[in-house]
Amino acid sequence: MARAWSLKARPQGMPKHTDFAMIDLNQSTLGAGEVRIANRWLSVDPYMRGRMNDVKSYVPPFALGEAMQGGAVGEVVESDDDGVKVGDMVLHMAGWRDEAVVPAAQVQKLPALDVPPQAFLGQLGMPGMTGYFGLLQVAEAKAGDTVFVSAAAGAVGSTVVQVAKAKGMTVIGSAGGAEKCAWVKSLGADAVIDYKSDVPVVKALGEAAPKGIDVYFDNVGGEHLDAALAHARMHARFAVCGMIDVYNSGAATQLKYLARLIGNRVQIRGFIVSDYMNRAEEFYKDMGGMLAAGTLKRQETVHEGLETMPDAFLGLFSGGNTGKMLVKV
Ligand SMILES: NC(=O)c1ccc[n+]([C@@H]2O[C@H](COP(=O)([O-])OP(=O)(O)OC[C@H]3O[C@@H](n4cnc5c(N)ncnc54)[C@H](OP(=O)(O)O)[C@@H]3O)[C@@H](O)[C@H]2O)c1
């Protein structure tokens, strides 16, 4: 019997293990045009925290007691569709479970790039596209710019660091702890800020970028966003990708330096990666070229077994991952 994680209760603040429950899935026969997929890799992503709240958003909330959804890569083991064959490796959104039955129209065969399949949940998948288009399109970053990126050791952030370096920018990354900072440096960052040290981010950023920053790629919000405002140069562009600092607390962010955006004509733009999904070919081509040239490094933090899925998810909020957080089924 296939199994899936469901949301048992809507979390208040930081989610707890008791907010999740494993359920059995009754999906013994395929419907017309459906495929059965043995999931091999499951993604946990910070945006899933938003889906646990019963609020209107750009994705609907998870329904209580039902299988949760999320990015997954798996092998087709049964098919009622001529275009998808048994043995195909596919990307789809019926994650949080060991086996998925979905319409063939909702799966994507993995692009022909020389990477392991799980890379399409990370650097070559949704988080990678977020970093790539957020940096180059939303923030309009260009060669010569000084770029500051928070959560730089994570899936999105580590892509931003490497794409920015590959495109001729100066990069300052922020991450929690010496080990992660060393890894971000090894990706090519010119300077790294350990935001968990005693030095306030605003001071550390001033030292790392004495002439200020042209671009801020925000994954965190809060103190990081305020520090970026404090050091924004004239006509700086901010791509606001995420604010993980407030996903659990919901607390209002205090921005001491917000008014600086007026005099410095700072442009702040939020975005959702789905705005750029129709440009996937361009992304695969450029990232594929960087992969072939050895410009991109990839790292994963892997939890083993469907049972570990809540642990992996909760780990995102305590810095438990370097690179992409994944569950191997
Ligand atoms: N707009 C979009 O379409 C879109 C798409 C994908 C992702 N996102 C957003 O992008 C951000 C990164 O996502 P991801 O998938 O790449 O996750 P990730 O960075 O791989 O994992 C989350 C990381 O955030 C850091 N973190 C957690 N709580 C923090 C806090 N309070 N302050 C500072 N850092 C904190 C931790 O690293 P440290 O150890 O360094 O603290 C953790 O490892 C998230 O905000 C996510 O919601 C947005």
Side-chain angles (χ1 to χ4, degrees), residues 178-248:
E179 208 173 309
K180 284 194 181 186
C181 286
W183 184 64
V184 174
K185 198 94 196 339
S186 79
L187 300 179
D190 299 273
V192 189
I193 291 170
D194 178 357
Y195 78 91
K196 288 187 176 166
S197 77
D198 293 337
V199 184
V201 179
V202 68
K203 182 166 186 292
L205 184 58
E207 287 164 7
K211 293 184 182 159
I213 60 168
D214 302 293
V215 167
Y216 174 46
F217 191 106
D218 192 14
N219 286 315
V220 167
E223 187 190 2
H224 281 84
L225 176 56
D226 210 24
L229 283 161
H231 296 289
R233 297 176 68 174
M234 190 66 82
H235 300 296
R237 288 93 58 208
F238 288 20
V240 179
C241 171
M243 293 196 178
I244 197 166
D245 192 40
V246 297
Y247 289 176
N248 289 305

Side-chain angles (χ1 to χ4, degrees), residues 132-146:
Y132 182 88
F133 288 113
L135 178 72
L136 300 178
Q137 298 299 320
V138 181
E140 298 177 33
K142 54 187 187 316
D145 280 346
T146 295

